[in-house]
Amino acid sequence: MPPQVTGSNPALAARGVSKSFDGRKALSGVDFEVGPGEVVALIGPNGAGKTTLLSILAGIAEPDSGEVTGDGVAWVPQQAALYRRLSVRENLLLFAHLQHDAGQTAENPEQMVTRMLELTGLADRAGDRVGTLSGGNQQRVNIAIGLMADPSVLLLDEPSVGLDPAQRERLWGFVLGLVGEGTAVAFSTHDIQEAERYAERIVVVAEGEGIFSGTADELRQAVEAGAAGGGPAAAGDLETSFLAFLRERGH
Amino acid sequence: MRWLLLKDLQILKRSPLQLTLLILYPIVIALLVGFAMTREQDQTKVALYNAMPAGEPLGFGGEEVDGNEIRDQLCGRVDCIEADSTADARKMVENGEATAAVIVPEDLGDKIRSLASLSPESPEIQIIVNGSDAVENQVTDDRIEAMLGEANLLLAKRLSEGAKQYLDLILKGGEFDLLGQQIEVLGLQKSEQILKKIEPKLPPGTDKEQLQRAVRFAHLATDNLDLAGPLLTAITEPIKADKVEVGDEAPSLDTFAIGVTVAFALMFVTVLLVAGSLALEKEENAFTRLTAGLVGRGQILVAKVGLGTVVGTGVALILLVGLGLFVGIGWGRAPLWLLALIFGAAAFSAGGAALGAAAREVRAATLAAVMVCLPVALLSLVPDDAVGPAIETAINLVSAVFPFRPTLDAITGGLEISGPSLWLPLLHLLLLTATYGALARLALRRF
């Protein structure tokens, strides 16, 4: 299924991206795009290729074929990539210096850290060691590092894994605040409700192939259309629709 | 890159246990090794039971050895404990009070005296050792052999002195005590003189030829027996060792001990620290973020090697200063041994980085570091002549591809002017740093 194009100038786009690991196909000709200020959820079963696709979009991994276009992309890994023995401030300062030295930002590192502490609401925990923070707060620091260079696109790999509902709520409040300022967000998740709740568009990946791109309602409609054509029946909630959709397509 | 190094030092500072260990470890090692190096060595304890009658001299002729003299000789190299009987001496060995026992039999004096008779007997003393400790047994055997060697030498010298006195008596004449009676011996020299004086006074027609033969014999015997004296002296110690050292001069035992201690500390601290620190980057998921456009893999590697070099050199310095309280450290040669420490630490760090990059987990990296370092370092200490040529070649090869031996050579060369050359080990360490660095960089591609 071709991707649903959100506009003529996507903030980040991938065309026909393929990737194999030791002869095993991880991605097979996947198209993907996210428009400015858009929130896109990437869903699919385990091993579907979501993390691989995000890594390629972030420029961390090279695709075997296909191309990726877009600037100012920041990637936030699934597990907090932080030094647990350093404080929040020391972690932020380290990455601020590294980004400054790498030419990704001209902002003074100290000022950048102050800005990020305000943005994440962690100024009062600046001196605390990261290892002592809750999972939600760790993830906020994790995302803050990704935001240091003021990216136009933020890629989040399963950002809410391990968070309780309250932490998840706070995290999304923070992320949606960035979206309100024009940052595009693409995130992978196993939580269909989270995708439905926060994403404007859902992209389904299964066995390395992009099989759906559209809104949650469009996904339900697609399932109902399949049921009408003799496919498996779908219940009302999106998770059931999603599972039915996968079964219908043999995944 | 400096931010990475500062970050690692900050992390190190945040681990009180690790930091305490890094400071205490060299101090404790310095105290232990320092005390061991300056402490008087305990002598082997040997039980001695002398069954010979008190005051009985050993030997023959005019030269006799007092029993106490023999005892002093025996006990010069060991700590002798007097035993009351053979059974008592045996018990001391069995209960560990003494590592061996020497039993001097009652008839030792008779047997030594018999050496000068027509029916000589072999004098023997009995040695009792505890066979339960193979290593101690070997040491004890060596000590007792040396001890008996000294006693035998003393006896041989005295016996040869006695024999020389007999020879002098035969040559020059004199008085000789036999069973309490003084017997005058004319001597060959006087015999010759007397015969020479008699010869002109013999009446014509006498068979002078026989007399002249006796004079010639006395003359020849005098000349040749003169040579017997030095010969007797020589046979008591026929071979004397004249030690000439060739090849590289070995450092003193103290310097070697300091070198081994410092090289071991340097190896463990740097290899474990760098291997663990690099693997931690992976475990904390930071490596991927760092290499996503912020720093190169090579920069991370250089920062880790820098961390190991700084910390390893610091620990080695504390250790050397600590050892300096007990033994002499050549502070005037500090620039040289400091160079050795830095090069050694860099090579060990590069090795640790290769291990950490290959293992990718802190536990696996730590285990691999211990499993590789310990046997290779111990192998490097095996003396060349202690094994066969094939094993020696194998050990030399293994030692050459690991930084322990060149680090040891560089440290001892830096500490002591008579040590091995400093520059060759430094070059060796530089090559190893480059090689292990390249291996680590290769392993980081799939980190």
Side-chain angles (χ1 to χ4, degrees), chain A residues 77 79-86 90 94-95 97-99 101 104 129 142, chain B residues 3-4 7 10-11 14-15 18 281 284-286 288-290 292-295:
Chain A
Q79 289 169 326
L82 303 166
Y83 295 102
R84 296 168 59 79
R85 285 181 191 161
L86 297 185
E90 286 165 343
L94 167 70
F95 284 101
H97 276 299
L98 292 176
Q99 293 199 6
D101 288 1
Q104 293 183 0
R129 287 192 196 184
N142 199 29
Chain B
W3 302 115
L4 294 177
K7 175 263 296 175
Q10 265 181 327
I11 290 175
R14 292 288 157 78
S15 171
Q18 210 170 2
E281 296 284 356
E284 295 204 308
N285 307 307
T288 314
R289 171 168 263 167
L290 288 173
L294 294 180
V295 287

Side-chain angles (χ1 to χ4, degrees), chain B residues 80-394:
Chain B
C80 285
I81 312 168
E82 297 290 348
D84 297 329
S85 63
T86 303
D88 186 32
R90 177 185 284 272
K91 197 175 167 186
M92 285 184 187
V93 175
E94 283 173 350
N95 65 21
E97 195 178 336
T99 48
V102 176
I103 312 296
V104 180
E106 195 178 358
D107 59 356
L108 184 71
D110 294 337
K111 287 190 174 175
I112 288 175
R113 277 189 292 275
S114 78
L115 295 173
S117 70
L118 294 174
S119 53
E121 291 182 82
S122 178
E124 284 180 359
I125 60 171
Q126 189 185 357
I127 308 289
I128 302 169
V129 292
N130 191 335
S132 61
D133 187 331
V135 176
E136 190 166 294
N137 214 2
Q138 180 64 48
V139 174
T140 307
D141 279 355
D142 292 345
R143 288 261 170 98
I144 287 178
E145 259 182 47
M147 185 177 105
L148 287 179
E150 298 269 346
N152 275 330
L153 185 63
L154 175 72
L155 277 173
K157 279 181 179 168
R158 294 300 169 86
L159 290 173
S160 109
E161 286 296 320
K164 273 172 71 183
Q165 282 182 15
Y166 284 129
L167 279 174
D168 277 352
L169 196 67
I170 294 166
L171 269 172
K172 296 168 187 167
E175 289 197 338
F176 172 58
D177 182 75
L178 182 64
L179 301 171
Q181 287 191 334
Q182 293 296 315
I183 297 170
E184 190 184 348
V185 176
L186 185 60
L188 286 167
Q189 287 173 349
K190 283 183 186 165
S191 300
E192 184 190 354
Q193 287 165 4
I194 291 168
L195 289 172
K196 278 183 177 173
K197 280 181 186 171
I198 291 171
E199 190 191 350
K201 295 175 186 172
L202 285 175
T206 313
D207 188 359
K208 286 188 176 182
E209 184 63 27
Q210 293 301 322
L211 185 64
Q212 283 164 352
R213 282 183 62 197
V215 169
R216 279 201 299 275
F217 166 74
H219 183 75
L220 272 173
T222 304
D223 281 354
N224 287 297
L225 283 175
D226 263 350
L227 297 173
L231 191 62
L232 274 172
T233 305
I235 59 170
T236 57
E237 197 175 356
I239 298 173
K240 284 185 178 172
D242 180 17
K243 188 177 167 188
V244 177
E245 290 182 3
V246 293
D248 284 344
E249 280 190 74
S252 72
L253 206 56
D254 276 359
T255 302
F256 184 72
I258 292 169
V260 170
T261 308
V262 174
F264 258 104
L266 201 60
M267 174 183 74
F268 276 117
V269 168
T270 46
V271 174
L272 285 170
L273 180 70
V274 175
S277 174
L278 191 56
L280 191 69
E281 296 284 356
K282 175 77 178 172
E283 281 196 358
E284 295 204 308
N285 307 307
F287 187 80
T288 314
R289 171 168 263 167
L290 288 173
T291 51
L294 294 180
V295 287
R297 287 170 160 78
Q299 285 175 293
I300 295 176
L301 185 62
V302 172
K304 294 296 176 194
V305 172
L307 171 77
T309 306
V310 168
V311 176
T313 306
V315 167
L317 263 177
I318 297 174
L319 186 52
L320 270 174
V321 170
L323 285 170
L325 300 175
F326 298 92
V327 288
I329 301 284
W331 298 110
R333 294 174 62 82
L336 296 178
W337 52 252
L338 203 57
L339 213 56
L341 295 183
I342 292 168
F343 274 63
F348 281 129
S349 298
L355 278 175
R360 300 198 286 177
E361 286 176 11
V362 176
R363 283 183 188 178
T366 309
L367 187 65
V370 173
M371 286 175 73
V372 169
C373 287
L374 201 59
V376 178
L378 291 176
L379 266 184
S380 305
L381 291 173
V382 174
D384 286 347
D385 52 1
V387 290
I391 296 175
E392 183 190 331
T393 307

